[in-house]
Amino acid sequence: MKRLSLDKILQSQGFGSRKWCGELIESGDVTVAGQVVTDKKAMFSTENLSFTLYDEPWQYREHIYLALHKPANFECSRKPSHHPGVLTLLPEPFRARDVQPVGRLDHDTTGLLLMSDDGAFIHTQSSPKYHVPKVYIATTADPITPELIAHLLAGVTLHDDPVPCAAVRCEMRDSNELEIVLEQGKYHQVKRMLAAAGNHCAQLRRVQIGGLTLESLGLAQGEWCYLDAADLTLLVAV
Ligand code: URA
């Protein structure tokens, strides 16, 4: 728990420079516990602190942890080149807080994407050392065969990596639909593994990370939500 002046609190939450946040407070645009506060140096405990800015409610958060249902045609890179970036789907203060995607999904991949401004969390979640399984549903161009599944489970060699890449689980869901579970997050990994095994990935969706499912979050494409402590405990090796 910290005690901070209101201008510093607003700045830490991504609402602009300390000077700008001070001006917002002095203009009467900020309330705390239902009261307008015009003293920018008024001190508040950050624990369970909620406030409003322009009547919109916000909760103080030291870090933010989000899940986004990524739609197709959005890029995860910091400097998107051909499509809008996923950060454009979030409120502006989150961008000011430097929220970043945890790993990347290709522009045409849809599904569960974690985002945060907590560098340690991003590092842990992205590291192959932590073996957090990620579940993908791939629609394939050619019918799925038992040989394809056996190949993906045994491991395929990708051009840039002498160590074979294996799925930790792989199941056929339909003639052209495969559930594939990976613990690494290499560039275009599912697509490249399918290509190396002689098929082609026509569509890809990530539906689960660790024990956290996209379905349980109930997000439509393009929607995001905060992850609470219970959600975060699911993001581990299962
Ligand atoms: N594997 C891919 O090929 N693409 C993604 O977006 C994610 C995993």
Side-chain angles (χ1 to χ4, degrees), residues 68 70-90 95 101 105-109 113 115:
L68 171 75
K70 181 192 172 295
N73 299 322
F74 281 83
E75 291 183 23
C76 288
S77 78
R78 271 175 188 260
K79 291 193 180 144
S81 46
H82 294 100
H83 302 277
V86 285
L87 293 171
T88 62
L89 296 165
L90 302 180
R95 299 203 282 276
L105 291 177
D106 298 334
H107 82 274
D108 53 353
T109 301
L113 181 67
M115 303 182 86

Side-chain angles (χ1 to χ4, degrees), residues 105-106 109 136 188-191 204:
L105 291 177
D106 298 334
T109 301
Y136 296 88
H188 294 327
Q189 190 171 345
V190 175
K191 292 174 186 168
L204 188 61

Side-chain angles (χ1 to χ4, degrees), residues 67-221:
L68 171 75
H69 186 164
K70 181 192 172 295
N73 299 322
F74 281 83
E75 291 183 23
C76 288
S77 78
R78 271 175 188 260
K79 291 193 180 144
S81 46
H82 294 100
H83 302 277
V86 285
L87 293 171
T88 62
L89 296 165
L90 302 180
E92 170 61 33
F94 294 177
R95 299 203 282 276
R97 290 181 67 155
D98 206 22
V99 166
Q100 296 297 325
V102 179
R104 292 192 178 179
L105 291 177
D106 298 334
H107 82 274
D108 53 353
T109 301
T110 61
L112 182 56
L113 181 67
L114 306 180
M115 303 182 86
S116 179
D117 62 351
D118 179 347
F121 171 79
I122 294 177
H123 176 75
T124 309
Q125 282 297 315
S126 321
S127 168
K129 269 198 292 187
Y130 291 92
H131 300 290
V132 181
K134 296 169 183 88
V135 183
Y136 296 88
I137 307 293
T139 306
T140 56
D142 299 319
I144 293 154
T145 58
E147 292 74 31
L148 176 84
I149 293 184
H151 199 162
L152 293 170
L153 287 170
V156 295
T157 309
L158 305 177
H159 292 310
D160 57 352
D161 198 342
V163 183
C165 243
V168 289
R169 217 178 67 229
C170 193
E171 278 163 31
M172 181 170 155
R173 287 170 44 121
D174 208 337
S175 64
N176 287 60
E177 200 174 77
L178 188 73
E179 179 172 310
I180 176 163
V181 184
L182 301 180
E183 282 178 353
Q184 312 102 321
K186 295 183 183 180
Y187 182 65
H188 294 327
Q189 190 171 345
V190 175
K191 292 174 186 168
R192 292 196 299 151
M193 284 176 71
L194 278 167
N199 204 313
H200 171 77
C201 181
Q203 259 185 12
L204 188 61
R205 189 156 49 99
R206 183 158 68 190
V207 294
Q208 187 171 339
I209 298 175
L212 182 71
T213 64
L214 184 60
E215 195 180 8
S216 69
L217 297 169
L219 299 171
Q221 285 202 11

